[in-house]
Amino acid sequence: MVIVVVGTQWGDEGKGKVIDYFARDVDIIARYQGGANAGHTVIINGKKFIFHLIPSGILYPDKICVIGNGVVVDPVSLFEEISLLEKNGIKVDGRLFISENAHITMPYHKLLDQIEDKFRGKGKLGTTGRGIGTTYADKYNRIGIRAVDFLDDDVFYEKLKIALELKNYLFREYYKEKMLNTDRIYKEYKPVREKMKKYVINSVLFINEMIDKGKKILAEGAQGTFLDIDFGTYPYVTASNPISGGVCTGLGIPPTKIDKVIGVVKAYTTRVGKGPFPTEIKDFLGEKLRRSGNEYGATTGRPRRCGWFDSVIVKFAKTVNGLDEVIITKLDVLSGIEKLKIGVAYKYEGKTYNDYPLNTKIFSNCEVIYEEMDGWNEDISNIKKYEKLPKNTKKYLERIKELTGVKISGISVGSEREQMIKL
Ligand code: IMP
């Protein structure tokens, strides 16, 4: 059985908590895309864990975690995370596996990512600077280093040499930066490569064998639908496919084996980095949401831009991901706002758009058509049953359901594991 959990907005929907919630009932948790740009936060008994690469399911001692071929792996970040987990008494060995054909993020990828984004000037994307786009670019340029290459002395040296020849040319001639030394990097990475050996497997065979044996797999998406390289707000996107389809290419799970797709929907909208965001609130209310929702990037610490719920994008997310059901997160953050708004359509040059336009010019300059609803004042963070929610909270959820066509199966009302209402 395969269940997929995806973000339906611009990431940071609270997937960490939702994945942690579902992880208890599965055998394997597998990441299928992205890299150390992700930041999945899980809070257990007041203790906060932020995961960048390792699936958060690792917190359950009996679960197996897989980093799939669609992920780009920065070994430095990976071992930082492993040692932090081990310091907290969480054993990783024998439970964490990395795909042989996952691509490796090298120091030049991170450097180039940061330099390139700076050079974009006004067109800056606001990347996380973790070398994500540059690692994927090398993958598609067929000069990437996969985990299996990384472990082989000769292949690694040869690939590193080729990659650095090109990168150093750019550093020297174009960016006027210092060059990187092949032999030094080769030497520096020797102990890391040794340590990595025990984790690397043929994950596509492993996962499919587990599925055939009747094991339950949870495929964990990072980022969100509107950061998807194909369907997001291009070019203000990440370099992979966070949509549910990414599971097929990023884990080698055939579409015929996917049983359920669960969307994670924040009760309002946030975005980190640059790019269009029609329902963004630019006044004090945006700041209020940021504070009460603790909306700061889990990876970079950057303040997240905050805005009203946008039903148009979530409706599109339902279509492109094939959502079976959704979990609404951070509903408690909306308590105390007198009037709530929901974006229901866009207007651009006299034309109304009821669906998400892939044209970035339209999406960047449109005016939002809103519906207004009465808010609620009650603290809902300790409510365990839907019936106990205030009348206006229920009305808000009902309207989201009607406008987006999604089936709501759960509501998260706080950051702790237990703060969840099942429907
Ligand atoms: P990159 O993934 O570092 O290349 O960044 C590209 C865009 O995706 C930037 O706008 C980032 O802020 C955004 N981004 C990347 N990862 C995340 C995430 O986990 N949550 C939210 N935004 C993200």
Side-chain angles (χ1 to χ4, degrees):
M1 164 148 199
V2 179
I3 301 169
V4 183
V5 173
V6 291
T8 60
Q9 292 145 319
W10 277 284
D12 308 316
E13 296 93 352
K15 289 184 295 298
K17 179 181 164 175
V18 173
I19 290 157
D20 177 66
Y21 180 78
F22 285 105
R24 63 182 112 186
D25 298 323
V26 305
D27 304 291
I28 297 171
I29 301 98
R31 266 279 297 273
Y32 58 90
Q33 46 73 229
N37 50 350
H40 290 170
T41 310
V42 181
I43 301 176
I44 297 161
N45 299 327
K47 198 167 170 54
K48 190 170 174 177
F49 293 89
I50 300 178
F51 295 93
H52 300 291
L53 267 170
I54 301 178
S56 50
I58 204 81
L59 293 176
Y60 292 96
D62 57 332
K63 309 291 175 195
I64 287 177
C65 291
V66 175
I67 296 179
N69 60 280
V71 178
V72 289
V73 181
D74 174 3
V76 177
S77 178
L78 175 78
F79 285 108
E80 269 172 20
E81 228 162 282
I82 291 178
S83 76
L84 202 73
L85 284 166
E86 286 179 342
K87 263 190 212 135
N88 280 284
I90 296 151
K91 284 221 165 70
V92 168
D93 288 6
R95 301 203 292 125
L96 175 69
F97 299 106
I98 300 165
S99 172
E100 277 183 335
N101 48 339
H103 279 247
I104 303 290
T105 297
M106 296 297 296
Y108 48 86
H109 291 125
K110 291 186 264 188
L111 201 61
L112 206 56
D113 181 13
Q114 290 156 20
I115 298 171
E116 277 179 358
D117 213 29
K118 212 163 69 191
F119 261 67
R120 286 187 186 111
K122 263 178 71 183
K124 188 179 156 84
L125 303 180
T127 71
T128 58
R130 298 292 193 272
I132 307 301
T134 42
T135 310
Y136 280 113
D138 277 3
K139 170 176 173 172
Y140 288 99
N141 227 354
R142 279 122 330 149
I143 52 162
I145 299 172
R146 299 168 307 160
V148 68
D149 308 322
F150 188 62
L151 299 184
D152 185 300
D153 286 340
D154 302 333
V155 179
F156 175 56
Y157 189 79
E158 201 47 38
K159 289 203 159 208
L160 183 64
K161 212 168 83 185
I162 294 169
L164 269 180
E165 254 171 48
L166 283 162
K167 302 290 182 281
N168 274 335
Y169 180 79
L170 272 179
F171 286 140
R172 187 182 65 228
E173 301 295 327
Y174 190 71
Y175 293 118
K176 313 289 179 216
E177 288 279 337
K178 272 198 274 188
M179 293 197 291
L180 299 181
N181 183 288
T182 309
D183 290 325
R184 192 178 306 150
I185 295 183
Y186 181 77
K187 217 170 125 201
E188 267 173 22
Y189 272 72
K190 187 101 184 143
V192 179
R193 291 168 50 226
E194 274 307 313
K195 278 201 288 184
M196 195 143 146
K197 268 195 182 126
K198 61 180 167 203
Y199 299 108
V200 177
I201 61 160
N202 181 330
S203 65
V204 57
L205 287 186
F206 175 73
I207 288 198
N208 280 287
E209 207 178 295
M210 290 298 130
I211 298 171
D212 294 343
K213 277 189 178 156
K215 300 280 183 205
K216 286 187 185 156
I217 320 286
L218 178 73
E220 160 179 335
Q223 291 86 44
T225 302
F226 295 89
L227 288 172
D228 186 278
I229 186 84
D230 284 280
F231 299 102
T233 48
Y234 194 89
Y236 301 97
V237 290
T238 193
S240 62
N241 288 114
I243 60 157
S244 59
V247 170
C248 301
T249 51
L251 283 169
I253 296 179
T256 44
K257 287 188 179 169
I258 296 175
D259 296 281
K260 194 192 250 188
V261 182
I262 301 170
V264 186
V265 180
K266 198 184 275 191
Y268 47 97
T269 316
T270 60
R271 168 162 211 171
V272 208
K274 303 277 177 195
F277 178 1
T279 63
E280 183 170 12
I281 308 173
K282 294 200 170 133
D283 59 19
F284 74 98
L285 201 57
E287 182 57 34
K288 178 179 154 57
L289 275 178
R290 186 172 308 122
R291 287 208 190 147
S292 35
N294 193 23
E295 297 293 357
Y296 296 90
T299 299
T300 57
R302 289 180 291 178
R304 294 177 186 145
R305 298 154 65 192
C306 297
W308 298 116
F309 185 82
D310 185 335
S311 69
V312 184
I313 64 164
V314 176
K315 190 169 69 173
F316 181 80
K318 178 181 186 278
T319 304
V320 78
N321 291 298
L323 301 180
D324 291 301
E325 54 188 67
V326 302
I327 307 284
I328 305 281
T329 60
K330 297 191 124 174
L331 189 62
D332 53 305
V333 174
L334 294 181
S335 288
I337 299 175
E338 202 183 330
K339 294 276 179 200
L340 295 170
K341 285 191 191 177
I342 298 181
V344 294
Y346 313 123
K347 213 170 186 160
Y348 180 71
E349 290 187 339
K351 196 173 158 199
T352 303
Y353 293 83
N354 293 309
D355 290 300
Y356 162 65
L358 289 163
N359 184 335
T360 308
K361 190 173 160 190
I362 298 175
F363 198 59
S364 304
N365 296 295
C366 64
E367 196 188 306
V368 182
I369 302 173
Y370 285 107
E371 267 184 26
E372 203 173 78
M373 303 185 74
D374 290 330
W376 60 91
N377 275 318
E378 297 88 332
D379 172 12
I380 58 168
S381 58
N382 288 313
I383 293 183
K384 298 267 181 288
K385 283 199 159 47
Y386 181 79
E387 299 72 48
K388 296 262 170 13
L389 286 170
K391 187 174 86 251
N392 288 346
T393 318
K394 285 192 257 187
K395 274 192 184 164
Y396 184 69
L397 292 169
E398 274 303 312
R399 195 64 191 130
I400 288 179
K401 204 168 102 183
E402 275 167 14
L403 288 165
T404 59
V406 296
K407 177 186 163 212
I408 301 173
S409 63
I411 301 158
S412 164
V413 289
S415 46
E416 289 279 348
R417 243 181 208 174
E418 309 316 320
Q419 290 172 298
M420 185 77 93
I421 303 170
K422 272 191 85 176
L423 267 77

